[in-house]
Short mmCIF file of all heavy atoms in Angstrom, two decimals:
data_model
loop_
_atom_site.label_atom_id
_atom_site.label_comp_id
_atom_site.label_asym_id
_atom_site.label_seq_id
_atom_site.Cartn_x
_atom_site.Cartn_y
_atom_site.Cartn_z
N LEU S 170 -5.25 -4.17 -23.56
CA LEU S 170 -5.08 -3.02 -22.67
C LEU S 170 -6.25 -2.90 -21.70
O LEU S 170 -6.07 -2.44 -20.56
CB LEU S 170 -4.94 -1.74 -23.49
CG LEU S 170 -3.65 -1.61 -24.30
CD1 LEU S 170 -3.74 -0.41 -25.23
CD2 LEU S 170 -2.45 -1.47 -23.37
N TYR S 175 -8.74 -4.94 -15.72
CA TYR S 175 -9.48 -5.87 -14.85
C TYR S 175 -8.52 -6.79 -14.09
O TYR S 175 -8.73 -7.11 -12.90
CB TYR S 175 -10.47 -6.70 -15.68
CG TYR S 175 -11.73 -5.94 -16.03
CD1 TYR S 175 -11.81 -5.18 -17.19
CD2 TYR S 175 -12.83 -5.96 -15.18
CE1 TYR S 175 -12.96 -4.47 -17.50
CE2 TYR S 175 -13.99 -5.26 -15.48
CZ TYR S 175 -14.04 -4.51 -16.64
OH TYR S 175 -15.18 -3.81 -16.93
N GLY S 179 -7.71 -8.79 -10.13
CA GLY S 179 -8.08 -10.19 -10.11
C GLY S 179 -9.39 -10.51 -10.80
O GLY S 179 -10.01 -11.54 -10.51
N LYS S 181 -11.82 -10.60 -14.61
CA LYS S 181 -11.70 -10.87 -16.03
C LYS S 181 -12.68 -10.01 -16.81
O LYS S 181 -13.86 -9.92 -16.47
CB LYS S 181 -11.99 -12.35 -16.32
CG LYS S 181 -10.94 -13.30 -15.75
CD LYS S 181 -11.26 -14.74 -16.15
CE LYS S 181 -10.19 -15.69 -15.62
NZ LYS S 181 -10.48 -17.10 -16.01
N GLU S 183 -14.01 -10.51 -19.70
CA GLU S 183 -15.10 -11.24 -20.35
C GLU S 183 -16.27 -11.53 -19.43
O GLU S 183 -17.36 -11.88 -19.89
CB GLU S 183 -14.58 -12.54 -20.97
CG GLU S 183 -13.89 -13.46 -20.01
CD GLU S 183 -12.37 -13.29 -20.03
OE1 GLU S 183 -11.90 -12.16 -20.27
OE2 GLU S 183 -11.68 -14.30 -19.79
N GLN S 204 -15.02 -0.46 -54.62
CA GLN S 204 -15.11 -0.81 -53.20
C GLN S 204 -13.98 -1.75 -52.84
O GLN S 204 -13.62 -2.64 -53.61
CB GLN S 204 -16.46 -1.47 -52.95
CG GLN S 204 -16.71 -1.96 -51.54
CD GLN S 204 -18.08 -2.60 -51.41
OE1 GLN S 204 -19.11 -2.00 -51.73
NE2 GLN S 204 -18.12 -3.85 -50.97
N VAL S 274 4.25 8.36 -43.05
CA VAL S 274 3.45 7.17 -43.30
C VAL S 274 3.19 7.01 -44.79
O VAL S 274 3.32 5.92 -45.35
CB VAL S 274 2.11 7.25 -42.52
CG1 VAL S 274 1.13 6.19 -43.03
CG2 VAL S 274 2.35 7.07 -41.03
N LYS S 283 1.56 0.53 -55.21
CA LYS S 283 1.58 1.38 -56.40
C LYS S 283 0.20 1.89 -56.83
O LYS S 283 0.09 2.99 -57.37
CB LYS S 283 2.23 0.63 -57.58
CG LYS S 283 3.64 0.13 -57.27
CD LYS S 283 4.55 1.24 -56.77
CE LYS S 283 5.94 0.71 -56.39
NZ LYS S 283 6.77 1.75 -55.74
N LEU S 331 -18.66 0.00 -22.44
CA LEU S 331 -17.31 -0.16 -21.93
C LEU S 331 -17.03 0.86 -20.81
O LEU S 331 -16.49 0.51 -19.76
CB LEU S 331 -16.31 0.01 -23.07
CG LEU S 331 -14.82 0.03 -22.73
CD1 LEU S 331 -14.40 -1.23 -21.97
CD2 LEU S 331 -13.98 0.17 -24.00
N ASP S 345 -13.29 7.33 -5.59
CA ASP S 345 -14.29 8.39 -5.40
C ASP S 345 -14.45 9.16 -6.71
O ASP S 345 -13.52 9.83 -7.16
CB ASP S 345 -13.83 9.33 -4.28
CG ASP S 345 -14.79 10.49 -4.07
OD1 ASP S 345 -15.99 10.36 -4.41
OD2 ASP S 345 -14.34 11.54 -3.57
N TRP S 430 -15.52 6.42 -46.60
CA TRP S 430 -16.05 6.97 -47.85
C TRP S 430 -15.07 8.03 -48.34
O TRP S 430 -14.93 9.10 -47.74
CB TRP S 430 -17.44 7.57 -47.58
CG TRP S 430 -18.22 8.01 -48.77
CD1 TRP S 430 -19.21 7.31 -49.40
CD2 TRP S 430 -18.14 9.28 -49.44
NE1 TRP S 430 -19.73 8.06 -50.44
CE2 TRP S 430 -19.08 9.26 -50.49
CE3 TRP S 430 -17.34 10.41 -49.27
CZ2 TRP S 430 -19.26 10.35 -51.34
CZ3 TRP S 430 -17.49 11.48 -50.13
CH2 TRP S 430 -18.46 11.45 -51.15
N LYS S 464 -28.10 -4.69 -32.73
CA LYS S 464 -29.41 -4.15 -33.12
C LYS S 464 -30.01 -3.24 -32.06
O LYS S 464 -30.98 -2.52 -32.33
CB LYS S 464 -30.39 -5.29 -33.42
CG LYS S 464 -29.93 -6.25 -34.51
CD LYS S 464 -29.72 -5.54 -35.83
CE LYS S 464 -29.31 -6.52 -36.92
NZ LYS S 464 -29.00 -5.83 -38.20
N ILE S 560 7.36 21.11 -11.89
CA ILE S 560 6.41 21.01 -10.78
C ILE S 560 6.37 19.57 -10.30
O ILE S 560 5.99 18.66 -11.05
CB ILE S 560 4.99 21.46 -11.20
CG1 ILE S 560 5.02 22.91 -11.69
CG2 ILE S 560 4.00 21.29 -10.05
CD1 ILE S 560 3.70 23.38 -12.27
N LEU S 589 6.60 5.83 -14.21
CA LEU S 589 7.27 6.99 -13.62
C LEU S 589 7.19 6.96 -12.09
O LEU S 589 8.13 7.35 -11.40
CB LEU S 589 6.65 8.28 -14.15
CG LEU S 589 7.01 8.67 -15.59
CD1 LEU S 589 6.09 9.78 -16.09
CD2 LEU S 589 8.47 9.10 -15.67
#
Side-chain angles (χ1 to χ4, degrees):
L170 291 171
Y175 281 89
K181 293 183 178 180
E183 56 264 31
Q204 177 180 305
V274 166
K283 304 307 177 187
L331 174 56
D345 177 25
W430 189 98
K464 302 300 182 184
I560 301 174
L589 285 167

